[in-house]
Amino acid sequence: MNPGASTAVDSLAHLSATEALAGFRALEFSPVEILEAQIERIEAHNGDRDTGINAFTETLFDTARQRAAVAADEYVRLARDGGPVPALLGLTVATKEKHGIAGLTLEQGLAAHRGRIAAADHPVVERLKLAGGIIHARTTSPEFSCATTTHSPMWGTTRNPWNLQASPGGSSGGSGAALAAGFATLATASDIAGSTRIPAGFTGTVGYKAPYGRIPGFSALAADWYRGDGPMGRTVADTALLASVMSGRHAVDHGSWGENGSNPLAGGSVEGLRIGLSLTLGDYPVAPEIRENTLAVARSLEAAGATVVPVDLPWTTERITETTFAHFGHILGPAMAVETAGTEGRLAAYTTRFMADAAAAAKRNTLVDSLGLDAALQAELAAAMTGIDALLCPTSAVSSLAADGDYLNGIDAAGRHLGHYWEAHMTSPFNVANRCPVLSVPSGLSADGVPTGVQVVGHPFAEAMAFRVAAAVESLVPSLGNPMLV
């Protein structure tokens, strides 16, 4: 291939969803061309479990090609005859492996789940298909999605396209890596302590944690009020589009709510808004370059007409960790123990450590104690956000994590040693306050070439405001471009 052809392929592969849909409708290019451009990049750069990016547990290229051809024909028909266009018609979507597809594996990286087959489509998958999305690959995660890096004995190490020595974050690391590398147009994720926003922050993409129940879940653990499934994209508008498809009441999840198909990106500037700024959410030891990138975002919002006000929170990283692990100790930890019984010796070290930490926290705190810890954080956040329209803070306190890191002995951050590496991320308080909509949006690059991110936190259920501010941040922060892969 000549250099010009390679550039054209890369350009098609990295198109946003909104750009791709416009091109499809105008018959400028087809879903087949986008898919083939992304397959070419996957084959060139994804590598395997020991090399390259390793973003996928499996690829589904044959069925994807068939569906892309059908979508291409449908756009020709629509150009001739008109009619409604399904929201995602012809767009590629990489789905997190835990979002089961009927007849395919549902292993979650666990030896105990080896060969387990999904009996039905996850509600998210069902809606992607109905909207015309093309699932061409399934993305990696750590075991049981319980780490903030993405590696496992089953699937190997997933690497960050911006710096192959760094992690794309976790647990939806494969999704973030796939988007950043131009392997997919959209991706699905999940979030119980930051698993959507952390990889978005580290890969220069956008991740959305919706209010609890807004996007339907599946199985008994959908009742865990910290958790939620969500969309990732390369832009705020793309993420809003995918959120509109995924969101809304579904019979499988009795806790799900709201309309399906309602796009949360309502538009509007930030002029006249009051935006709170918290650089540390209490005492997180935030790296100087992340502080500066966050302050630059705040200055840009002020220049755009917003009033930025400092917000103080009485939180410590140790208290937040105690709160979250007390919760995990009564729900996720025991569920993991059941799911992994008999295979304890084959678990990743971080999985064993997670279950031990959760069990220890549950011994220190009853479930009622845990609810009290939650309520205190929620009340403090509500008080801090009184009189502001949204809150701005970093996504992570550290600029990167090692791709194969376990961090069993904690992590050093801005001159301070944190006893638990989860304290390096500033996401989990908003799983405790899980009615708040939260997006992670790029804020710049760190010295090691890994993107940094900011979180935009809305009041409970105020999705439109969160997306409004996130879109403004995106428009004000210079584009990071695309990572150069070798």
Side-chain angles (χ1 to χ4, degrees), residues 367-422:
L367 179 57
V368 174
D369 293 335
S370 171
L371 295 176
L373 294 171
D374 283 0
L377 284 179
Q378 292 162 358
E380 289 158 358
L381 178 63
M385 291 185 67
T386 299
I388 63 174
D389 295 293
L391 174 67
L392 185 75
C393 65
T395 303
S396 286
V398 296
S399 58
S400 66
L401 300 174
D404 58 356
D406 280 328
Y407 299 102
L408 300 182
N409 297 316
I411 189 170
D412 293 323
R416 176 176 148 204
H417 183 75
L418 299 171
H420 201 291
Y421 76 100
W422 277 32

Side-chain angles (χ1 to χ4, degrees), residues 30 103 105 140 271-272 313 342 405 422 424:
S30 79
T105 60
T140 53
E271 186 172 1
L313 284 154
W422 277 32

Side-chain angles (χ1 to χ4, degrees), residues 61-459:
F61 294 160
D62 288 345
T63 55
R65 284 176 163 128
Q66 295 169 9
R67 289 170 181 161
V70 170
D73 290 343
E74 181 65 4
Y75 275 109
V76 172
R77 187 197 67 76
L78 288 165
R80 182 185 66 242
D81 302 333
V85 180
L88 305 181
L89 183 62
L91 295 177
T92 58
V93 188
T95 57
K96 191 171 182 177
E97 195 268 356
K98 71 173 292 183
H99 293 142
I101 300 175
L104 300 183
T105 60
L106 184 55
E107 297 171 332
Q108 300 197 71
L110 293 167
H113 289 190
R114 175 76 73 177
R116 182 175 292 187
I117 302 298
D121 286 346
H122 189 285
V124 162
V125 168
E126 174 191 312
R127 286 181 167 169
L128 296 177
K129 290 179 177 179
L130 288 172
I134 298 171
I135 300 173
H136 68 311
R138 307 178 72 202
T139 63
T140 53
S141 61
E143 291 181 342
F144 220 85
S145 297
C146 76
T148 68
T149 55
T150 297
H151 61 84
S152 68
M154 181 180 289
W155 292 328
T157 300
T158 300
R159 300 179 181 275
N160 195 323
W162 293 89
N163 178 343
L164 294 181
Q165 301 309 306
S167 176
S171 66
S172 306
S175 292
L179 288 169
F183 294 170
T185 303
L186 298 167
T188 70
S190 63
D191 198 313
I192 198 170
S195 286
T196 301
R197 291 158 287 151
I198 293 166
F202 283 142
T203 60
T205 59
V206 178
Y208 178 47
K209 183 207 74 66
Y212 174 66
R214 185 72 179 99
I215 295 173
F218 189 67
S219 81
L221 285 178
D224 184 340
W225 57 93
Y226 274 26
R227 66 156 303 283
D229 300 297
M232 294 182 70
R234 282 192 286 271
T235 70
V236 172
D238 286 6
T239 307
L241 171 66
L242 187 52
S244 72
V245 169
M246 296 169 70
S247 296
R249 187 178 298 110
H250 193 290
V252 165
D253 181 359
H254 189 68
S256 58
W257 57 271
E259 295 181 5
N260 174 246
S262 176
N263 193 309
L265 186 58
S269 73
V270 293
E271 186 172 1
L273 297 183
R274 287 175 58 83
I275 298 173
L277 172 64
S278 181
L279 290 175
T280 63
L281 291 181
D283 78 339
Y284 279 90
V286 178
E289 57 194 333
I290 296 174
R291 283 177 175 260
E292 182 50 43
N293 286 351
T294 305
L295 283 169
V297 171
R299 289 191 291 266
S300 296
L301 289 169
E302 285 184 316
T307 299
V308 177
V309 297
V311 168
D312 294 321
L313 284 154
W315 295 345
T316 65
T317 61
E318 292 87 351
R319 179 181 160 207
I320 291 167
T321 299
E322 184 71 2
T323 299
T324 54
F325 272 86
H327 174 92
F328 298 143
H330 290 287
I331 302 177
L332 183 59
M336 291 171 65
V338 170
E339 293 290 339
T340 61
T343 61
E344 291 85 353
R346 298 160 65 187
L347 294 173
Y350 59 76
T351 305
T352 301
R353 176 64 180 273
F354 178 95
M355 290 192 291
D357 289 345
K363 288 182 178 179
R364 295 189 296 269
N365 302 277
T366 67
L367 179 57
V368 174
D369 293 335
S370 171
L371 295 176
L373 294 171
D374 283 0
L377 284 179
Q378 292 162 358
E380 289 158 358
L381 178 63
M385 291 185 67
T386 299
I388 63 174
D389 295 293
L391 174 67
L392 185 75
C393 65
T395 303
S396 286
V398 296
S399 58
S400 66
L401 300 174
D404 58 356
D406 280 328
Y407 299 102
L408 300 182
N409 297 316
I411 189 170
D412 293 323
R416 176 176 148 204
H417 183 75
L418 299 171
H420 201 291
Y421 76 100
W422 277 32
E423 295 175 36
H425 312 298
M426 301 168 72
T427 50
S428 58
F430 309 112
N431 294 88
V432 179
N434 205 17
R435 274 66 177 177
C436 292
V438 190
L439 291 105
S440 178
V441 185
S443 64
L445 286 172
S446 64
D448 57 9
V450 174
T452 61
V454 291
Q455 294 180 94
V456 176
V457 184
H459 286 281

Side-chain angles (χ1 to χ4, degrees), residues 18-38:
T18 55
E19 291 170 333
L21 289 172
F24 294 161
R25 293 187 190 104
L27 303 184
E28 294 173 358
F29 45 79
S30 79
V32 172
E33 292 172 272
I34 298 283
L35 173 64
E36 293 299 337
Q38 291 174 346

